[in-house]
Amino acid sequence: RTPSQVTLRWAVEHNITVIPRTSKIARMRENLEILNFELGEQALNKLNSLGQESPFYWDVSKLTTATSQDRSGDRNPEL
């Protein structure tokens, strides 16, 4: 299994929706192969323990959308 397959499979087993982006047919097939295997308990435990010291997440309350003014180069100095 490739690292990408393992990562995608880990997400699927945690009910996390993933939408891999590729235009290459071979990669599409590779991505679909994650439905043909499951990660073992030992592998899941090891993957689950990664990054526990400094968890990362997106704070969606801090996300903003770009405005036409932002794209013109006239940026808000407070951001």
Side-chain angles (χ1 to χ4, degrees):
R1 310 290 181 214
T2 68
S4 296
Q5 286 176 314
V6 171
T7 304
L8 289 170
R9 184 63 206 186
W10 176 89
V12 167
E13 291 192 22
H14 283 79
N15 295 318
I16 299 171
T17 302
V18 290
I19 305 172
R21 180 180 160 209
T22 186
S23 60
K24 299 180 188 308
I25 298 295
R27 291 282 169 94
M28 289 179 199
R29 286 189 182 115
E30 182 180 287
N31 291 338
L32 285 172
E33 288 176 12
I34 69 165
L35 302 174
N36 297 330
F37 72 94
E38 292 182 5
L39 298 173
E41 186 176 343
Q42 184 178 9
L44 277 173
N45 290 337
K46 193 168 192 174
L47 290 168
N48 289 339
S49 70
L50 293 175
Q52 292 296 316
E53 304 81 40
S54 55
F56 174 83
Y57 63 92
W58 287 96
D59 184 352
V60 294
S61 68
K62 306 242 189 251
L63 296 177
T64 61
T65 57
T67 64
S68 58
Q69 190 175 26
D70 291 336
R71 288 188 291 274
S72 71
D74 187 20
R75 306 250 181 234
N76 183 341
E78 294 177 17
L79 295 180

